[in-house]
Amino acid sequence: MSRDVEHFARFTRLLELERQAERSRLALEKQTLPLAELEARGLVVLDVETTEEALGLGGRYLITFMHESKRRLSTKLGPGDLLTVSPRKAEIESPPSGTVVSATRTSVVVAFDRPPPPWMGEGRLRLDVTANDVTFDRAKSALAKWQAMDSGQKRDRREILLGNLPPRFEKAPVFTPRRPLNPEQHEAVSLALCARDVALIHGPPGTGKSTVLSELAAQWGAQGKRILCTAASNAAVDHLLELCLDAGLSAVRVGHPARVLPHLQEHTLDLLVEDHPDRKLARQLFEDAFELLGYARKQRERGRSRERFGNAREASAEAYKMMDDARVLEKKALRSILENAQVVCATLSMLEGRILRGEDFDVALFDEATQAIEPLSLLAFLKAPTVVMAGDPKQLAPTIISMDAAKQGLGTSLFERLLADFGDEVKRMLKEQYRMHETIMRFPSDETYGGQLRAHASVASRTLQELLRTTVDAPPLLFLDTAGKGFEETKAPQTESLRNEGEAGLVVARVRELVAAGLDVRELAVITPYRAQALLLREQLIDLTELEVDTVDAFQGREKDVIIVSLVRSNAEQQLGFLEDLRRLNVAITRPRRHLFVVGDSSTLSSHPFYGRWLEFTQQVSGYRSAWEWPSP
């Protein structure tokens, strides 16, 4: 399909639609929902206090907030979230805003560009999450840059990304893998190594995509190439970092240490730079500068004499000069660390940030590419001439709030579009999976992946019973049908999300049955499409502190020995809502290794042909049970 530069202009408009939709939803929720619900949704943190102040990179003020009792924060905050701070019981015109640097279960550290007002340390406060425009602005910047590329090699690369020119490949290289690869994995690495522009690796669940990416990074590293590893999410970037470290490469993680696994934190730029001599000098300069600014403020407050104003001006000028010098030293330290690393790992939105704006790479590994919107994906292609994208278009797509923007193309990833434009010439699909029992794998393979998946011998027949002390009814796949039981879905109070209390009772009983039979709770997860159902289940299983209960969307990319799924939908109208996005079911049923337990209402589900075939399949493999015959919770 031929495209021109209007393609980029159209995405700029779609980004603005999405930005406005996000702002409108946030504003509406804050206007209409009670404080308790706002806090439950993660939009507000109430009754926290300032507990610590420190100095961060660039002279930022770092303030730590937590409850006086040190109890858990009800809101899940993360690095990069934007917050405003205001007194709990009073209103102020322009509350100061800051960026979350790190967060734990009981505290959050926020960076401010200016000194905090005195009231921030004098009582209880509220933190309000605000819309984050940074990602939108950086995505729009990428679109503008691609639109302006009108000559030479840059224009050719633009035409490839528009689908007007085919991607180029060198002669397939001969390489010696570091570890054994199956035929499809070997083909995928070979294609990526000979790509000049872009290559796509389609990795269905459990097919060893990580093995391919690790091998590719090792081969590039041996060639002396400077590598960028990127993805839309922090979790995916951290996974790439771990793969590169395991491959023996020196790697730096750009981003907030709070989002990095404990054993990987020593590789974050923030921590590495703290030990650099230039950073130590910069820190001292900042501290001296702030003392001078404090002196200048006191001079102005003590009177209006010419001498005091002169002293204040001199002190301020000297302080700002010291801060400029400190920032130069910090930048020098950052550059030194980045230049000495074989691999730099960062999220897509960080690629256009201050730290990486001037950095270029030889090649880029882009994981979870099917979960990133096209404008953000284009940032990776600005940083490296060759980008290898890995993902699975049969799993969940990017999350889009604006229905208009989604319908007009914002919900289609660049991976999917390039695959549609160029087909198998630029793609290799991995086909041997190392996760699921063959019975669990068969339905998604036949329905979603053209029957091409095969189970490796090491996983094809392993069962849950091998891990249990007592015998339970646990074939590899089990569907528990609630039809006719009256377990109808309901709206959770003060929310639009759905829950199903009848299903929740069955799920809770199943969890406790399996744990009592000897299953390690860390190898069990409960997932559901609806946030309200996840909250309900979490409350009822709160005593199992190591049990993971989450939404299907949040669990994408994960796996456990046992997955229990609550589908929730049960209504006379046979409405499925966003269960009609079949990629959501595909994600849900491909997470387990040994046992998949699904609870749902066949009378509602069977209104959709896909779910009808799923129900038939469960009967074919002796995995169907009726809740009427199942032991009551």
Side-chain angles (χ1 to χ4, degrees):
M1 176 181 175
S2 179
R3 300 178 184 86
D4 58 22
V5 293
E6 170 59 25
H7 177 80
F8 302 114
R10 182 171 64 85
F11 269 109
T12 300
R13 295 192 294 272
L14 297 184
L15 278 176
E16 198 55 39
L17 283 177
E18 179 69 3
R19 188 205 303 255
Q20 293 304 324
E22 185 177 297
R23 285 176 175 173
S24 297
R25 186 176 74 169
L26 187 60
L28 180 63
E29 288 174 335
K30 290 194 173 182
Q31 288 172 6
T32 59
L33 296 176
L35 279 176
E37 177 62 18
L38 287 174
E39 191 164 30
R41 291 192 180 199
L43 301 176
V44 174
V45 183
L46 300 174
D47 298 320
V48 292
E49 298 178 348
T50 299
T51 61
E52 188 178 342
E53 296 185 17
L55 197 62
L57 275 175
R60 296 175 300 170
Y61 295 84
L62 303 182
I63 312 297
T64 302
F65 300 94
M66 63 192 310
H67 292 296
E68 183 181 17
S69 61
K70 297 185 179 180
R71 71 178 187 274
R72 266 190 177 191
L73 297 176
S74 57
T75 303
K76 214 174 191 179
L77 296 169
D81 288 343
L82 298 183
L83 302 173
T84 59
V85 185
S86 55
R88 175 68 172 89
K89 301 283 187 178
E91 291 188 10
I92 55 175
E93 263 190 40
S94 300
S97 62
T99 304
V100 174
V101 174
S102 62
T104 67
R105 291 181 175 181
T106 59
S107 67
V108 56
V109 180
V110 183
F112 297 89
D113 292 332
R114 296 181 178 180
W119 55 258
M120 200 179 282
E122 297 172 354
R124 294 190 177 184
L125 309 165
R126 64 178 280 171
L127 311 178
D128 286 81
V129 177
T130 63
N132 189 345
D133 287 339
V134 172
T135 298
F136 288 106
D137 291 338
R138 290 175 179 175
K140 288 175 74 173
S141 173
L143 291 168
K145 288 180 178 179
W146 282 108
Q147 192 167 358
M149 292 180 186
D150 285 327
S151 61
Q153 292 182 351
K154 290 183 177 180
R155 185 182 185 281
D156 290 343
R157 293 190 68 227
R158 185 185 73 183
E159 293 303 301
I160 290 169
L161 291 176
L162 286 172
N164 300 330
L165 291 176
R168 299 162 296 178
F169 293 88
E170 307 286 359
K171 183 180 177 182
V174 176
F175 68 97
T176 302
R178 295 180 310 121
R179 66 179 75 179
L181 301 176
N182 66 42
E184 293 87 7
Q185 290 173 335
H186 195 283
E187 288 177 14
V189 174
S190 180
L191 179 76
L193 288 175
C194 67
R196 289 180 59 188
D197 306 295
V198 62
L200 309 179
I201 298 172
H202 180 188
T207 52
K209 175 165 61 75
S210 295
T211 299
V212 171
L213 298 181
S214 177
E215 181 63 43
L216 186 53
Q219 295 292 332
W220 278 340
Q223 295 172 11
K225 293 184 182 292
R226 191 177 192 221
I227 306 167
L228 170 67
C229 287
T230 190
S233 73
N234 279 289
V237 174
D238 291 343
H239 181 57
L240 287 171
L241 169 64
E242 193 161 22
L243 293 179
C244 291
L245 293 173
D246 289 345
L249 303 173
S250 63
V252 173
R253 171 71 158 93
V254 177
H256 300 284
R259 280 286 177 93
V260 179
L261 293 170
H263 67 284
L264 299 175
Q265 288 180 351
E266 64 187 281
H267 301 282
T268 59
L269 183 60
D270 281 35
L271 295 185
L272 290 170
V273 78
E274 287 298 329
D275 291 329
H276 196 280
D278 287 334
R279 165 58 180 156
K280 293 177 181 178
L281 288 173
R283 190 186 301 120
Q284 185 59 56
L285 283 172
F286 275 124
E287 290 174 359
D288 293 344
F290 288 136
E291 284 187 18
L292 281 174
L293 289 174
Y295 167 77
R297 185 172 62 251
K298 289 176 182 177
Q299 287 293 305
R300 293 190 184 96
E301 291 170 350
R302 286 174 179 170
R304 294 182 171 274
S305 73
R306 182 177 298 176
E307 180 182 359
R308 287 198 176 102
F309 274 115
N311 291 340
R313 277 195 304 270
E314 288 179 13
S316 295
E318 186 176 352
Y320 292 134
K321 173 66 168 57
M322 293 170 72
M323 292 172 77
D324 288 340
D325 291 342
R327 291 188 179 102
V328 169
L329 285 170
E330 281 188 343
K331 188 174 182 180
K332 184 181 173 185
L334 291 170
R335 293 279 79 77
S336 172
I337 293 169
L338 291 173
E339 287 170 2
N340 288 317
Q342 291 174 286
V343 184
V344 175
C345 304
T347 59
L348 289 166
S349 62
M350 289 293 292
L351 302 185
E352 190 68 3
R354 174 181 57 86
I355 293 173
L356 294 178
R357 193 167 293 145
E359 297 293 318
D360 293 311
F361 300 85
D362 299 313
V363 288
L365 276 182
F366 179 2
D367 199 8
E368 289 189 353
T370 50
Q371 295 178 52
I373 59 174
E374 179 167 329
L376 271 181
S377 298
L378 291 171
L379 285 166
F381 289 84
L382 288 173
K383 306 304 292 184
T386 303
V387 180
V388 175
M389 307 174 77
D392 182 6
K394 302 300 184 180
Q395 297 190 60
L396 288 167
T399 301
I400 306 296
I401 296 172
S402 168
M403 295 302 294
D404 285 345
K407 289 176 183 176
Q408 294 180 55
L410 193 60
T412 301
S413 68
L414 181 60
F415 184 109
E416 292 174 271
R417 185 171 68 71
L418 293 176
L419 181 57
D421 285 343
F422 303 119
D424 290 343
E425 294 300 313
V426 298
K427 180 206 79 170
R428 292 295 181 271
M429 177 177 167
L430 308 180
K431 298 177 181 179
E432 187 164 47
Q433 66 87 19
Y434 300 82
R435 174 186 299 170
M436 296 169 276
H437 186 284
E438 195 276 336
T439 301
I440 300 173
M441 177 205 74
R442 198 185 313 160
F443 182 82
S445 175
D446 291 345
E447 285 286 333
T448 308
Y449 299 105
Q452 297 184 76
L453 300 188
R454 62 184 185 274
H456 189 266
S458 62
V459 304
S461 59
R462 64 184 179 183
T463 65
L464 174 59
Q465 196 58 57
E466 297 167 353
L467 304 179
L468 304 181
R469 292 189 300 266
T470 59
T471 301
V472 298
D473 184 4
L477 167 61
L478 197 156
F479 173 70
L480 183 58
D481 185 4
T482 65
K485 292 289 287 184
F487 293 167
E488 292 206 348
E489 67 196 51
T490 58
K491 264 189 189 176
Q494 301 175 334
T495 177
E496 292 300 311
S497 188
L498 299 175
R499 64 185 186 183
N500 189 314
E501 296 186 15
E503 278 192 18
L506 293 171
V507 167
V508 169
R510 182 62 168 181
V511 168
R512 298 196 184 283
E513 177 189 23
L514 294 178
V515 172
L519 179 65
D520 185 341
V521 73
R522 292 170 297 183
E523 284 304 330
L524 166 66
V526 179
I527 59 178
T528 174
Y530 291 91
R531 183 178 55 85
Q533 185 77 344
L535 289 172
L536 176 64
L537 288 165
R538 206 173 288 137
E539 290 169 2
Q540 296 184 6
L541 293 163
I542 196 170
D543 57 302
L544 298 176
T545 56
E546 294 183 290
L547 175 68
E548 289 191 68
V549 181
D550 218 327
T551 62
V552 174
D553 298 46
F555 210 77
Q556 178 158 306
R558 305 283 309 286
E559 63 181 80
K560 295 279 187 179
D561 276 330
V562 176
I563 295 291
I564 297 178
V565 184
S566 173
L567 293 177
V568 177
R569 297 312 298 254
S570 178
N571 56 78
E573 297 78 19
Q574 295 186 312
Q575 293 180 351
L576 293 181
F578 59 53
L579 283 187
E580 291 184 1
D581 184 346
L582 301 180
R583 291 172 294 190
R584 187 164 277 109
L585 180 69
N586 186 46
V587 169
I589 65 177
T590 55
R591 301 304 96 201
R593 293 189 284 262
R594 297 172 183 267
H595 178 58
L596 171 64
F597 184 89
V598 181
V599 184
D601 181 351
S602 65
S603 64
T604 298
L605 296 171
S606 60
S607 63
H608 193 291
F610 184 89
Y611 287 93
R613 293 193 295 274
W614 154 254
L615 294 170
E616 290 176 7
F617 178 75
T618 64
Q619 295 172 344
Q620 292 169 12
V621 297
S622 302
Y624 176 89
R625 307 286 187 274
S626 171
W628 289 98
E629 303 165 349
W630 194 256
S632 298

